[in-house]
């Protein structure tokens, strides 16, 4: 409070308060190929009029359940496709 008073005392009387901004973020992790959960999330966002109004979607990981062991090219492509479907859904 004291700092605000000191700053206000130095500001010109015509000064406008600073503009405020809202950043809308969605954090979704540990999807693990569950496209039905992504669809449910999209439905919830839509029902709350938030779909298409997000500034960013953060997904720190685990879009798919790919094993840690090395995969052959066909298996790797399957996991990449599942992860891409998850990203596309978000």
């Amino acid at each position: 409070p004291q700092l605000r008073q000191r700053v206000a005392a130095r500001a010109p009387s015509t000064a406008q308060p600073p503009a405020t901004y809202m950043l809308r973020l969605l954090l979704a992790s540990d999807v693990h190929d569950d496209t039905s959960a992504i669809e449910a999330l999209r439905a919830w966002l839509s029902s709350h009029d938030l779909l298409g109004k997000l500034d960013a979607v953060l997904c720190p990981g685990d879009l798919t359940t790919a094993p840690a062991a090395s995969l052959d090219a066909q298996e790797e492509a399957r996991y990449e496709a599942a992860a891409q479907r998850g990203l596309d859904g978000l």
Side-chain angles (χ1 to χ4, degrees), residues 66-80:
S70 61
L71 305 173
D72 65 32
Q74 187 176 14
E75 285 179 305
E76 187 173 329
R78 188 169 56 97
Y79 283 110
E80 286 178 5

Side-chain angles (χ1 to χ4, degrees), residues 3-24:
L3 178 59
R4 280 191 195 158
Q5 291 169 352
R6 287 195 309 254
V7 170
R10 285 188 268 142
S13 60
T14 59
Q16 296 292 319
T20 58
Y21 300 94
M22 181 183 299
L23 183 63
R24 292 183 177 166

